Amino acid sequence: MASLLTTPARREKPEESGAWRNKTPAILTLERFMQDQTDPENPNPSPKFHTGRLPNNRSGDGKPRLLLMGQRRQEAHPLISPRRSGKSSISSVVFHKMPPAETLFLESTARIQKDAVHSFMDFQVWDFPGQLDFLDPAFDVDYIFGEIGALIWVIDAQDEYLDALMRLNNTILLLQQHYPSINIEVFIHKVDALSEDYKFDIQRDIVQRTQDELSDAGYENAPVSFHLTSIYDHSIFEAFSKVIQKLIPQLPTLEGLLNILCSNSGMEKAYIFDCISKIYIATDSSPVDMQSYEICSDYIDVIVDVSEIYGWDRPGRAAEEAECNDQEAESVIRLQNGMILYLKEINKYLVLICIMKEESIKKKGLIDYNCGVFQDALAQVFGLQRT
Amino acid sequence: MDIIEKKGKKKKVLLMGKSGSGKSSMRSIVFSNYVAKDTRRLGATIDVEHSHVKFLGNLTLNLWDCGGQDAFMENYLQHQRDHVFANVAVLIYVFDIESREFDRDLVTYSAVARALSENSAGARVFCLIHKMDLVQAEYRQKLFEERSSLLKERSEGFDIVVFATSIWDETLYRAWASIIYTLIPNLSIIETYLRRFAEIIEAEEVVLFERTTFLVVCHVSQQGLGNPNDDRFERISNIIKTFKQSLSRFTSSPKSAPQFTEIELRAPRFSLFIDRLTSNTYILVVVKPGESDLNTAKMNVKIAREDFERLDVTGDGKKPTRTRESSSRMELEAEDDAGRDAEY
């Protein structure tokens, strides 16, 4: 309901476009430098990749953006090293495969850090420095929020979060007024060191405060969701999976395809994973349990690591390789308890992972055939060429 | 005959170092299937913790994890000197890279080395410079070289081997695999067997891992195929051990259970499988890509299993296996040809 009411406000936006026009060219160029644009002299270069229609994408062909934001660093105590909410660590761990222990050495982000992530769909992750105040009129709000699909707000659960919560609420209210279709995802971060009870207490508290604030301002059912995360376990990947899934328009189709695959091949659970970030794009409609997600994600690690070790370029083997090259990687693990893990590469970015009983793998031909059909269907959905 | 041989194969391994340097953490990861994170729960070791690790059939490691607090150290060096330092096969001395009083550590180390040279002069000494992950990557090598040259001076005549280790990466497995390598009794026989086996099945690489620790026992690579990753064996140990942890969570079975029976991977540039070979070992085989190569290799592992089992348990499988080997080789080649024919 809220979105219907506020859409006209978004269309008008007189004060903002006015502000844009009133600035001198010098200021505008400076701003673009500040915002770390690749070509500052030539604003808004046209996007190069086709990614399908996205929720908040007016032109229909930009990269979907995820914006990472978090609490401001406390400037009041220059001597105490300020706590950081962990935004850069998150993007390094999830998108650059950095081991969590090494994030200790990361420098703090001074300006907007843009990461283009090339995967089954291209998207950008913007790491927004904590000390920048985007509500400052010097920033081009429309440029920042104009095309983002989701705003990820990181809150340090081990720290005093009331101040951060206030900024979050201001941001949500601003977004609700002007860009109501942006998904707002709150990561309650660094929960690894907290006890189970305390974790959920904090979550309840944050949810309560945010909802109160929203309903005071008259917004019900705002697209705000909360996730408990930590870079030291799988929770951060799971949270990102949920964020990304909301941005995939084809999600219901994918789920349907996976359901058909599972029921026809005797599989218990099937996931499609993005190989690089270990985010799962879709799964069949049987309930997701953390364990099966974790094992699949660890399975990808094993396959990627082992392939890295033995997949080096062997000179003088080109002829033999040519005949096998069109074949995608495939792997089977037989567990002691009779379960089977099956992995098949779908294309450069995606892998299919299935969990099944021992009986099902006996009909290996059927599984191969079904997976082939599934692969073709997926290629049609994404409009990709199977190469 | 078996009984006599088994008795002689118990090796005493001393694990020493300052309190808090990470001896017990290391031991738990390598021998008790802990992940690095779990070692936070470990408390200080009081006096000596003995453990027996059955390793590859007839080799048993008698591991003495010696608590490193000063009072204990003094006790080992004075009252229990003969008891602790007698009949030692290997001394593993652990240094904490973050230690603020390295000079004092050196003095203790020298005293230990002296006690060892008096009581078991034939022992091998390994020094591990531990917790390397706490140093930034670019300084690691320099610091390691500095420390190891200092250590070599103070070793009382022992020819020591120094490793830089961390429980958070594969360096730990590299160090332990090299230590274990020096202890395995009939390694040369195993190695020749493995080499012949690799030749027969035309494998790019065959690696033998111990079952519980997943440390490399022995490896054979095809000539002239320079894999650029020199640290691949310990990396695989690390990968598989970590994955076994996840599997035990998934199947909710005890951590010491074998977890998986077979891993198989067909990639565009190679095929690989890991299978159980004997009751104490896993075998990893890397072959050329393609269905037929992988399947014949798998079948051959099945055939060779019996021979390796004999080698593993009794320590000499020379006489009876020779004829079997030749007969199985013929089978293999026939199999191989069949595979080829089917392909074309």
Side-chain angles (χ1 to χ4, degrees):
Chain A
M1 297 314 283
S3 64
L4 278 178
L5 288 173
T6 46
T7 328
R10 182 186 159 199
R11 290 218 185 90
E12 287 164 22
K13 262 190 299 174
E15 67 288 346
E16 260 158 53
S17 42
W20 171 262
R21 269 187 216 105
N22 288 339
K23 284 173 194 165
T24 65
I27 290 179
L28 287 176
T29 315
L30 188 68
E31 266 171 25
R32 276 180 232 119
F33 271 116
M34 283 296 287
Q35 290 167 10
D36 196 25
Q37 199 154 311
T38 41
D39 185 9
E41 299 302 328
N42 189 8
N44 296 330
S46 59
K48 286 177 195 121
F49 300 92
H50 180 80
T51 52
R53 207 185 59 78
L54 283 148
N56 190 37
N57 197 333
R58 279 159 304 161
S59 47
D61 54 356
K63 289 181 193 182
R65 266 184 221 152
L66 299 175
L67 191 57
L68 273 170
M69 282 187 158
Q71 65 213 74
R72 197 195 331 225
R73 310 174 61 178
Q74 288 151 1
E75 288 131 20
H77 311 283
L79 290 178
I80 305 166
S81 119
R83 289 197 57 98
R84 303 189 277 169
S85 56
K87 301 176 292 297
S88 310
S89 306
I90 291 179
S91 59
S92 310
V93 168
V94 177
F95 298 108
H96 299 287
K97 267 201 111 183
M98 182 185 267
E102 269 172 42
T103 57
L104 279 177
F105 302 124
L106 278 179
E107 308 250 326
S108 73
T109 315
R111 48 193 207 164
I112 301 178
Q113 197 85 41
K114 295 175 192 175
D115 269 325
V117 179
H118 299 285
S119 183
F120 71 103
M121 64 178 203
D122 291 298
F123 55 96
Q124 277 190 340
V125 180
W126 285 25
D127 192 349
F128 199 90
Q131 66 270 42
L132 283 188
D133 190 1
F134 58 90
L135 297 173
D136 192 322
F139 272 94
D140 180 1
V141 180
D142 199 33
Y143 172 64
I144 295 173
F145 292 117
E147 272 193 12
I148 66 172
L151 169 76
I152 298 170
W153 189 280
V154 186
I155 287 181
D156 182 349
Q158 292 181 29
D159 201 15
E160 203 49 58
Y161 53 74
L162 287 179
D163 185 41
L165 218 53
M166 214 169 72
R167 283 188 78 214
L168 168 64
N169 286 331
N170 290 342
T171 316
I172 295 179
L173 291 180
L174 176 93
L175 290 183
Q176 280 298 302
Q177 275 166 25
H178 301 297
Y179 312 97
S181 56
I182 295 179
N183 297 326
I184 297 159
E185 314 279 348
V186 182
F187 284 13
I188 303 167
H189 196 51
K190 303 192 191 174
V191 291
D192 48 299
L194 307 178
S195 72
E196 287 295 305
D197 290 348
Y198 191 51
K199 231 179 343 198
F200 291 116
D201 278 351
I202 286 186
Q203 185 180 19
R204 210 172 303 127
D205 187 38
I206 290 178
V207 172
Q208 191 63 46
R209 283 169 193 273
T210 319
Q211 301 293 16
D212 285 355
E213 195 75 24
L214 276 171
S215 55
D216 283 354
Y219 296 109
E220 302 289 338
N221 300 328
V224 185
S225 18
F226 299 85
H227 311 264
L228 289 168
T229 58
S230 157
I231 51 170
Y232 292 98
D233 55 29
H234 293 83
S235 58
I236 188 69
F237 295 100
E238 232 228 332
F240 255 104
S241 305
K242 300 216 165 110
V243 172
I244 300 274
Q245 281 171 21
K246 285 188 195 159
L247 298 179
I248 303 173
Q250 301 96 333
L251 185 67
T253 320
L254 297 181
E255 271 179 7
L257 283 171
L258 283 167
N259 280 339
I260 297 168
L261 179 71
C262 279
S263 62
N264 286 326
S265 322
M267 296 165 178
E268 293 200 342
K269 189 92 190 123
Y271 289 95
I272 310 177
F273 269 82
D274 175 41
C275 202
I276 302 160
S277 55
K278 288 189 293 168
I279 285 171
Y280 74 95
I281 310 300
T283 177
D284 63 316
S285 45
S286 64
V288 178
D289 58 324
M290 247 339 233
Q291 279 118 356
S292 69
Y293 167 73
E294 280 174 18
I295 199 68
C296 292
S297 143
D298 289 337
Y299 190 8
I300 294 180
D301 274 344
V302 171
I303 297 303
V304 169
D305 290 345
V306 171
S307 307
E308 203 181 294
I309 293 173
Y310 284 107
W312 88 100
D313 197 10
R314 294 158 173 82
R317 279 260 301 272
E320 284 173 59
E321 258 167 39
E323 63 185 71
C324 303
N325 247 353
D326 54 339
Q327 183 197 337
E328 285 90 3
E330 189 186 353
S331 166
V332 177
I333 295 187
R334 285 161 211 274
L335 303 189
Q336 194 71 29
N337 64 357
M339 298 296 278
I340 304 283
L341 297 176
Y342 174 77
L343 174 145
K344 183 154 173 76
E345 194 180 355
I346 301 283
N347 56 39
K348 222 165 107 193
Y349 307 112
L350 299 181
V351 290
L352 170 74
I353 300 188
C354 312
I355 299 172
M356 57 187 119
K357 288 248 168 64
E358 210 162 11
E359 301 90 79
S360 312
I361 199 81
K362 282 183 185 143
K363 298 178 197 153
K364 185 74 199 324
L366 179 72
I367 287 175
D368 284 345
Y369 179 76
N370 284 346
C371 287
V373 173
F374 177 78
Q375 206 171 348
D376 289 338
L378 211 63
Q380 281 172 27
V381 171
F382 281 116
L384 299 170
Q385 285 295 310
R386 194 182 156 189
T387 49
Chain B
M1 148 193 128
D2 289 355
I3 300 158
I4 303 162
E5 265 194 30
K6 267 182 190 165
K7 263 197 166 168
K9 294 285 160 50
K10 209 174 215 177
K11 304 260 174 141
K12 180 167 163 186
V13 178
L14 283 186
L15 191 54
M16 289 188 138
K18 209 177 74 163
S19 173
S21 57
K23 302 174 291 299
S24 303
S25 304
M26 208 180 253
R27 182 179 59 116
S28 319
I29 291 176
V30 177
F31 296 103
S32 315
N33 292 301
Y34 274 52
V35 270
K37 220 168 43 183
D38 295 344
T39 58
R40 276 184 218 164
R41 296 200 300 253
L42 292 169
T45 310
I46 303 299
D47 213 10
V48 182
E49 272 180 23
H50 300 269
S51 49
H52 294 264
V53 185
K54 208 166 158 268
F55 199 91
L56 212 67
N58 54 352
L59 170 67
T60 306
L61 300 183
N62 185 8
L63 203 63
W64 291 42
D65 183 359
C66 307
Q69 287 164 36
D70 292 342
F72 297 138
M73 273 317 222
E74 215 164 280
N75 193 17
Y76 307 143
L77 287 167
Q78 289 174 0
H79 306 299
Q80 302 186 348
R81 198 175 178 103
D82 301 340
H83 173 59
V84 172
F85 293 101
N87 300 319
V88 176
V90 170
L91 165 71
I92 301 170
Y93 204 94
V94 184
F95 290 91
D96 181 350
I97 190 80
E98 279 222 306
S99 168
R100 298 214 182 122
E101 31 193 23
F102 184 62
D103 292 332
R104 238 187 93 204
D105 298 350
L106 272 180
V107 173
T108 325
Y109 168 67
S110 291
V112 167
R114 204 169 313 125
L116 189 69
S117 68
E118 285 165 16
N119 290 291
S120 25
R124 286 198 183 82
V125 180
F126 295 90
C127 290
L128 308 184
I129 299 179
H130 198 46
K131 305 195 187 175
M132 266 311 200
D133 55 294
L134 294 173
V135 182
Q136 286 199 34
E138 53 265 46
Y139 301 117
R140 279 177 201 165
Q141 188 59 28
K142 198 174 142 252
L143 204 59
F144 170 68
E145 276 161 16
E146 251 175 50
R147 293 277 160 101
S148 55
S149 68
L150 272 174
L151 285 177
K152 276 177 185 148
E153 284 168 23
R154 307 288 292 267
S155 299
E156 304 288 324
F158 280 108
D159 189 16
I160 63 164
V161 184
V162 190
F163 294 99
T165 55
S166 156
I167 55 170
W168 298 96
D169 58 28
E170 68 277 354
T171 50
L172 183 70
Y173 294 96
R174 183 188 199 100
W176 277 89
S178 341
I179 293 168
I180 297 298
Y181 190 84
T182 60
L183 289 174
I184 299 170
N186 46 358
L187 197 71
S188 57
I189 308 174
I190 298 179
E191 209 161 334
T192 41
Y193 262 64
L194 208 62
R195 186 168 299 282
R196 251 155 71 202
F197 180 69
E199 276 165 21
I200 292 166
I201 64 172
E202 297 177 4
E204 280 184 10
E205 192 149 78
V206 179
V207 190
L208 214 58
F209 292 97
E210 203 277 331
R211 187 181 71 98
T212 42
T213 56
F214 238 89
L215 290 173
V216 183
V217 175
C218 163
H219 56 87
V220 173
S221 317
Q222 206 179 77
Q223 292 289 309
L225 263 178
N227 189 323
N229 305 297
D230 288 330
D231 55 353
R232 58 187 181 276
F233 307 118
E234 51 269 20
R235 266 163 73 185
I236 287 174
S237 301
N238 196 3
I239 293 167
I240 300 293
K241 274 206 100 168
T242 322
F243 188 57
K244 273 174 78 176
Q245 298 290 328
S246 335
L247 282 175
S248 89
R249 241 173 296 139
F250 175 61
T251 58
S252 46
S253 53
K255 281 178 181 173
S256 53
Q259 303 303 346
F260 67 89
T261 50
E262 192 188 10
I263 295 180
E264 157 189 328
L265 169 63
R266 291 159 228 251
R269 283 184 174 153
F270 67 96
S271 299
L272 164 151
F273 69 92
I274 301 176
D275 196 359
R276 243 199 54 228
L277 186 65
T278 66
S279 49
N280 290 307
T281 52
Y282 276 95
I283 190 167
L284 174 144
V285 179
V286 183
V287 290
K288 281 183 299 199
E291 203 72 20
S292 61
D293 285 270
L294 182 70
N295 287 335
T296 41
K298 268 169 128 177
M299 229 173 271
N300 286 328
V301 166
K302 246 179 223 142
I303 298 167
R305 188 166 287 156
E306 214 173 300
D307 292 334
F308 277 104
E309 191 77 67
R310 198 168 300 133
L311 197 66
D312 180 10
V313 175
T314 63
D316 72 337
K318 266 186 179 168
K319 277 166 286 159
T321 41
R322 184 138 296 167
T323 49
R324 268 205 65 86
E325 177 87 13
S326 55
S327 72
S328 56
R329 173 187 296 193
M330 273 170 30
E331 257 175 77
L332 309 177
E333 272 161 7
E335 214 90 68
D336 221 53
D337 287 342
R340 286 278 146 71
D341 288 346
E343 201 179 356
Y344 298 117

